[in-house]
Amino acid sequence: MENTKKTLPESGKPPEDRYLPGDPIPVPEAIETNTDSAWAMWQDSTQEPRPTFDETVPMTLEEMPPIRKR
């Protein structure tokens, strides 16, 4: 059975609340510099990836090199 009791920090004090009721909700800071380039990067990231390899064809048995036995 797991111990469900909350443990106090080593100092013996309960953890402090960082925010009090009525404090504003913290919002992450975002700096927007160029919306056109940001939108272009977003559109590029949501597109289907283009294959970067050539179309391949399986080798026939006649073209296959002999396999060495160990």
Side-chain angles (χ1 to χ4, degrees):
M1 185 169 164
E2 293 182 26
N3 187 2
T4 57
K5 292 182 182 179
K6 293 184 180 179
T7 59
L8 296 177
E10 291 180 19
S11 65
K13 295 180 182 177
E16 296 179 20
D17 288 334
R18 293 183 180 210
Y19 304 104
L20 297 174
D23 285 350
I25 297 174
V27 180
E29 184 178 331
I31 300 170
E32 192 172 317
T33 56
N34 187 344
T35 57
D36 292 334
S37 64
W39 180 247
M41 289 188 331
W42 170 254
Q43 286 180 327
D44 289 344
S45 71
T46 58
Q47 291 179 356
E48 291 287 326
R50 296 182 200 126
T52 57
F53 50 86
D54 294 332
E55 192 66 31
T56 59
V57 178
M59 188 183 295
T60 64
L61 286 176
E62 292 79 26
E63 296 171 342
M64 191 170 168
I67 300 174
R68 292 183 355 184
K69 293 184 179 179
R70 293 185 183 196

